[in-house]
């Protein structure tokens, strides 16, 4: 029988530890307003014309 790969699950404590380490190392968190993705759009929207 082959072993199934174990899924990595993060607990709240582990996430808090990683966040604290990130901030301690000089990282920063940027607030992104509600409804925004925080990603920069490099390309225009792709529209498909189905009436060709």
């Amino acid at each position: 029988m082959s072993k199934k790969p174990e899924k990595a699950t993060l607990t709240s404590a582990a996430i808090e530890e990683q966040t604290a380490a990130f901030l301690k190392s000089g990282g920063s968190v940027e607030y992104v307003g509600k409804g925004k993705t925080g990603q920069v759009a490099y390309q225009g929207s792709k529209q498909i014309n189905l009436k060709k």
Side-chain angles (χ1 to χ4, degrees):
M1 291 181 89
S2 63
K3 287 187 174 181
K4 291 183 181 179
E6 294 182 24
K7 290 185 180 180
T9 57
L10 293 176
T11 63
S12 297
I15 293 171
E16 285 182 34
E17 289 174 11
Q18 290 178 6
T19 304
F22 171 75
L23 294 173
K24 187 176 181 180
S25 70
S28 64
V29 178
E30 180 181 338
Y31 175 77
V32 178
K34 185 175 183 180
K36 305 273 183 181
T37 64
Q39 295 179 346
V40 179
Y42 294 107
Q43 296 178 347
S45 63
K46 295 180 181 178
Q47 296 184 357
I48 300 171
N49 185 358
L50 299 175
K51 294 184 179 184
K52 283 186 173 184

